[in-house]
Amino acid sequence: GQQLNQSPQSMFIQEGEDVSMNCTSSSIFNTWLWYKQDPGEGPVLLIALYKAGELTSNGRLTAQFGITRKDSFLNISASIPSDVGIYFCAGLNTNAGKSTFGDGTTLTVKP
Amino acid sequence: DAGVTQSPTHLIKTRGQQVTLRCSPKSGHDTVSWYQQALGQGPQFIFQYYEEEERQRGNFPDRFSGHQFPNYSSELNVNALLLGDSALYLCASSSGLKVGEQYFGPGTRLTVT
């Protein structure tokens, strides 16, 4: 079945630093999604990418859809304490309808 | 504008029992997906409902079943509970036009003892 490898598994950074995380797949997806999950809550959609090579920003967050359609990355610039949480990538083929999630990157930001 | 709501928040059941979880989608959404999230892992797709029918199903046994009502709300039923069914169950809603942009509820924490 489809699997997503998300890395790194965890990150410990200083406030103000930039962060980069990525997601790779053995299968092609036509949509890549990035979510953030805080403790006790459901994932919140951050960025959706629909075209290979697409680069999309949402505030301090930037994500790219890899040209092979098998990978995606997420960058966070100038991290702040409220960026703490678990970041998930998800791949989706819209004709199939189901999202496949990675196992997350846990981000800790030290003030 | 209410987001996705789920009930109950927490639930404790005994092995072998049956459980029903409920979800109301975000206003304007017609598609509901259910996910199981074990501790330390990403959500795993269970199934998706659209127009009151199961449209897609993940790799889960028949003990997991669901239903969607005419108002788009949905239920997840799990029969013959196993200890391994203990997890956070998430409901996500989307519009048929943008099925990838799923909005998640806060989840139901199920503990099977």
Side-chain angles (χ1 to χ4, degrees):
Chain A
Q2 296 170 326
Q3 280 191 310
L4 295 189
N5 296 307
Q6 197 170 343
S7 64
Q9 191 173 13
S10 61
M11 302 183 75
F12 295 83
I13 62 168
Q14 206 73 36
E15 183 177 357
E17 290 183 352
D18 297 343
V19 171
S20 184
M21 59 189 79
N22 65 68
C23 200
T24 59
S25 170
S26 57
S27 304
I28 289 172
F29 292 106
N30 62 26
T31 300
W32 281 94
L33 308 153
W34 285 92
Y35 291 87
K36 178 175 183 274
Q37 186 173 28
D38 292 328
E41 298 182 14
V44 173
L45 181 65
L46 300 173
I47 293 179
L49 302 157
Y50 298 102
K51 287 174 55 176
E54 179 182 355
L55 186 71
T56 297
S57 293
N58 177 7
R60 294 177 296 104
L61 278 60
T62 302
Q64 184 159 27
F65 190 143
I67 57 173
T68 66
R69 297 198 286 158
K70 291 185 176 181
D71 62 339
S72 178
F73 72 76
L74 175 70
N75 285 341
I76 305 173
S77 63
S79 59
I80 59 178
S82 63
D83 291 333
V84 165
I86 305 176
Y87 291 79
F88 290 100
C89 63
L92 169 71
N93 285 318
T94 48
N95 58 340
K98 69 170 191 174
S99 294
T100 301
F101 280 76
D103 281 337
T105 292
T106 300
L107 179 63
T108 302
V109 180
K110 294 177 284 186
Chain B
D1 178 22
V4 179
T5 59
Q6 291 186 244
S7 63
T9 305
H10 296 87
L11 204 52
I12 300 175
K13 289 286 189 178
T14 303
R15 192 171 46 185
Q17 286 188 316
Q18 178 264 345
V19 68
T20 297
L21 310 182
R22 295 176 176 84
C23 171
S24 290
K26 181 178 168 63
S27 177
H29 285 181
D30 56 9
T31 303
V32 173
S33 303
W34 286 92
Y35 292 82
Q36 181 194 66
Q37 187 177 24
L39 205 59
Q41 296 183 15
Q44 298 292 312
F45 177 81
I46 302 175
F47 42 54
Q48 183 179 84
Y49 278 85
Y50 173 71
E51 292 187 341
E52 302 179 50
E53 290 194 358
E54 183 182 292
R55 182 160 68 174
Q56 289 289 330
R57 189 178 184 92
N59 189 25
F60 279 79
D62 292 343
R63 299 187 297 109
F64 289 77
S65 63
H67 189 77
Q68 186 178 35
F69 299 94
N71 67 353
Y72 307 119
S73 67
S74 178
E75 288 182 349
L76 164 66
N77 300 293
V78 187
N79 294 323
L81 284 167
L82 304 174
L83 296 180
D85 294 333
S86 295
L88 180 69
Y89 287 86
L90 294 162
C91 168
S93 73
S94 56
S95 163
L97 297 175
K98 284 192 172 183
V99 67
E101 293 185 15
Q102 296 183 336
Y103 291 80
F104 282 82
T108 294
R109 172 71 62 188
L110 173 65
T111 302
V112 182
T113 62

